[in-house]
Amino acid sequence: MGGKGKYVLFAAALIATAALTTVAFHLFNQAGIDYAKGHRFIEQRMPQEALPYLAKAVSLRPGFRKALQELGLAALWTGNYGVARKIFEALLAVDPHNRFAVRGLADIMAWTGQREEAIEAYRQILSRHPKDFPTMRSLADALYWEKRYDEAIPLYRSYLIFEPTHQEAISNLAHSLAKAGQEDEARELLADLDRRFPDDPRALKAIGRYHLEGSQFDKAETYYRRALRIDPSDLEARVRLADCMVGGGDWEAALAQMDEAVSIRPDDAGVRVARANVILWSGDFEAARAAFSEILERWPNDASAVAGMANSLQWQGKIADAIPYLEKLVEWDYAGTKSALELAAAYAAVGRNEDAAAIYRETLTHEAPSPEEMAEASQAFFAIGDAQKAKELATATMEKDPENLAAGMVLFNLALRERNLARAEEIIRGLVAAYPGNSALREKLAQVLTWRGKPAEAERQYRILLGK
């Protein structure tokens, strides 16, 4: 090849290298731009809006740690626990000591009911990083939710030295003091906050939050209105003021406040979901469905909107229509076990008892279910003919809640199936005593008494039914 040919090849190589470098730089720079946009939304607590930008930044630059961490945080805040868990686990695979990811996994455990495991994880982080204030507050919150107030109090005190006007920490500390028998100190804490920061919306909202959580809606409203007089565009104060009005049953006023909140931040999915929920709680199910539908057209993966749509359908009795939304929530691991159990109950309600039982088998072995959840599970197992499991769950339910009607009826029907009429009578008598106005129960008692050869007692029950 002549000198000219070599020169051409060399020039072509330089051009190709420059082009690749330009493309790489563009992608690198674009990832930074997308991350910056997503980060701004995270700072404004708008996780749904942050998600697409952070996801794009990570797709352009897969090793972009900050973008990946905030993507996990956005998934966590929107209730997509399955996605958040995968992201935090991926971060830990690269760096097993990534404190952000360890705390993120602990937060998922805390928010899905595995609080003891979360508390242990938080304590391990603090043993290595005693000044990790976000973890300190997460531990205090977990202890607060577990009603371990004496342990939560010193942690909240330490955290508030770092951030003296953090409203949730102040409110939870005041509640903890009151629950621990230190009511005077709780009142003084709030009064001192009001004296020191009379014109700070953060302090006013903290006091308002305390009263709102204590269902003292008038007192809470006073503080939120004070905050809004200082800053009429304070979105959180506006939304919480609407909550006060919901608590007082003034739906029209609450909706007016939420309309104002939407006008302040029209592109915030969370605010629109909050507004739709006010409509839902007011009982206007059709309007609520329309509102949630509009949100999902714009933000199809908003878990809170999907949950709202499922609720609006279920509250209308349209269980079959709600199931696809509930299935999506379970797929996303939204709200952890709670969503799975809600889907199981929906399956059972439409006769899909095998599907319901499969979920109950999976979830009830890992969680500490409530009496209501165990009762629903017992009904599903009874329906598919698993008498042993049905009896086990119904019995456990009645031990915790002796007046649980669903579990009682499962045990009653099992006793009839076993032809144990004495046991059936015992169960149905207990249910009639708990629900004396339930005519169906009283009629069943009369039938059992007849079968047991007690005609006089059966006749007395029938007379009560007839009002004689």
Side-chain angles (χ1 to χ4, degrees):
M1 182 181 295
K4 187 174 180 180
K6 289 180 180 179
Y7 173 78
V8 171
L9 286 176
F10 179 69
L14 282 176
I15 293 169
T17 302
L20 288 173
T21 302
T22 301
V23 170
F25 176 78
H26 171 73
L27 293 177
F28 189 89
N29 191 48
Q30 185 60 46
I33 292 171
D34 288 323
Y35 166 71
K37 291 178 179 177
H39 179 70
R40 280 199 298 273
F41 282 123
I42 288 292
E43 287 186 319
Q44 296 174 44
R45 299 286 296 195
M46 297 172 68
Q48 192 63 51
E49 290 70 20
L51 280 169
Y53 292 107
L54 295 171
K56 188 177 178 183
V58 170
S59 68
L60 292 173
R61 200 196 310 172
F64 197 165
R65 183 172 61 86
K66 284 187 177 180
L68 196 55
Q69 287 183 168
E70 293 193 14
L71 181 61
L73 186 62
L76 179 66
W77 285 353
T78 54
N80 291 301
Y81 298 131
V83 173
R85 185 180 289 110
K86 289 177 182 177
I87 291 172
F88 294 138
E89 288 172 349
L91 285 164
L92 288 171
V94 175
D95 176 10
H97 303 292
N98 186 314
R99 203 189 325 168
F100 186 96
V102 173
R103 186 170 64 242
L105 289 175
D107 287 341
I108 292 172
M109 288 188 286
W111 296 358
T112 57
Q114 298 172 278
R115 294 203 187 107
E116 287 301 328
E117 295 89 337
I119 287 168
E120 179 59 28
Y122 293 137
R123 289 197 192 281
Q124 287 182 12
I125 296 173
L126 287 172
S127 69
R128 295 188 294 271
H129 307 278
K131 297 298 183 182
D132 184 334
F133 290 103
T135 299
M136 186 183 295
R137 183 170 65 82
S138 293
L139 174 58
D141 288 344
L143 291 166
Y144 173 77
W145 294 332
E146 285 295 293
K147 298 181 173 57
R148 291 160 63 174
Y149 304 115
D150 289 337
E151 295 175 71
I153 287 170
L155 290 165
Y156 280 129
R157 290 193 190 282
S158 297
Y159 179 77
L160 287 168
I161 294 171
F162 165 70
E163 194 171 341
T165 57
H166 190 283
Q167 30 178 326
E168 185 177 1
I170 292 168
S171 178
N172 288 355
L173 174 57
H175 280 298
S176 297
L177 289 167
K179 295 289 186 181
Q182 303 173 51
E183 292 90 348
D184 290 343
E185 193 169 348
R187 284 192 290 270
E188 179 56 31
L189 170 72
L190 299 175
D192 180 62
L193 189 68
D194 198 358
R195 282 193 298 269
R196 288 189 295 133
F197 304 102
D199 298 318
D200 188 330
R202 295 173 301 171
L204 297 173
K205 288 186 292 184
I207 301 170
R209 182 189 185 106
Y210 173 81
H211 292 305
L212 179 61
E213 290 178 349
S215 298
Q216 296 176 300
F217 304 116
D218 290 341
K219 287 185 178 180
E221 182 175 333
T222 298
Y223 284 96
Y224 287 123
R225 286 195 181 280
R226 281 178 58 186
L228 286 168
R229 280 198 292 271
I230 297 166
D231 180 7
S233 66
D234 189 315
L235 185 68
E236 183 181 13
R238 185 76 57 187
V239 172
R240 294 297 171 228
L241 179 58
D243 288 341
C244 296
M245 293 166 174
V246 167
D250 193 343
W251 303 105
E252 187 175 341
L255 189 56
Q257 292 297 330
M258 290 310 306
D259 287 339
E260 183 66 25
V262 169
S263 72
I264 293 171
R265 195 182 286 177
D267 296 325
D268 189 327
V271 173
R272 290 185 176 273
V273 169
R275 178 184 178 277
N277 276 323
V278 170
I279 299 171
L280 175 62
W281 298 331
S282 73
D284 191 344
F285 301 129
E286 290 298 330
R289 283 175 57 194
F292 285 121
S293 180
E294 184 179 333
I295 295 166
L296 290 171
E297 285 179 12
R298 185 170 177 183
W299 295 284
N301 294 321
D302 188 294
S304 297
V306 172
M309 182 66 88
N311 286 335
S312 62
L313 289 164
Q314 288 186 102
W315 294 2
Q316 281 185 291
K318 299 180 179 181
I319 308 299
D321 292 338
I323 283 176
Y325 295 98
L326 294 171
E327 289 173 334
K328 187 174 289 189
L329 294 175
V330 171
E331 178 187 339
W332 292 342
D333 199 18
Y334 176 80
T337 304
K338 181 177 181 295
S339 292
L341 292 172
E342 194 171 346
L343 175 60
Y347 281 152
V350 297
R352 293 173 59 177
N353 294 300
E354 290 285 356
D355 292 330
I359 293 175
Y360 287 128
R361 286 192 184 96
E362 177 69 23
T363 55
L364 296 181
T365 56
H366 300 296
E367 303 292 335
S370 68
E372 291 75 17
E373 290 164 349
M374 288 194 295
E376 289 170 355
S378 71
Q379 289 178 308
F381 283 113
F382 178 80
I384 65 171
D386 191 337
Q388 182 178 349
K389 192 67 177 177
K391 181 181 286 188
E392 175 188 324
L393 288 165
T395 301
T397 302
M398 297 297 281
E399 288 173 357
K400 292 184 177 182
D401 179 10
E403 296 182 358
N404 189 290
L405 181 57
M409 288 308 299
V410 167
L411 292 175
F412 172 72
N413 287 316
L414 285 170
L416 290 181
R417 185 177 291 182
E418 296 166 358
R419 299 189 180 184
N420 187 344
L421 294 181
R423 174 62 177 151
E425 181 185 342
E426 178 188 354
I427 294 167
I428 201 67
R429 278 191 184 279
L431 292 175
V432 168
Y435 303 95
N438 189 317
S439 58
L441 292 176
R442 195 172 294 279
E443 185 174 0
K444 290 183 185 299
L445 173 57
Q447 290 173 342
V448 170
L449 290 168
T450 300
W451 296 335
R452 294 206 67 202
K454 299 179 179 181
E457 291 186 53
E459 184 178 353
R460 190 168 72 84
Q461 296 300 327
Y462 282 124
R463 287 184 178 277
I464 292 173
L465 281 170
L466 295 171
K468 295 181 180 180

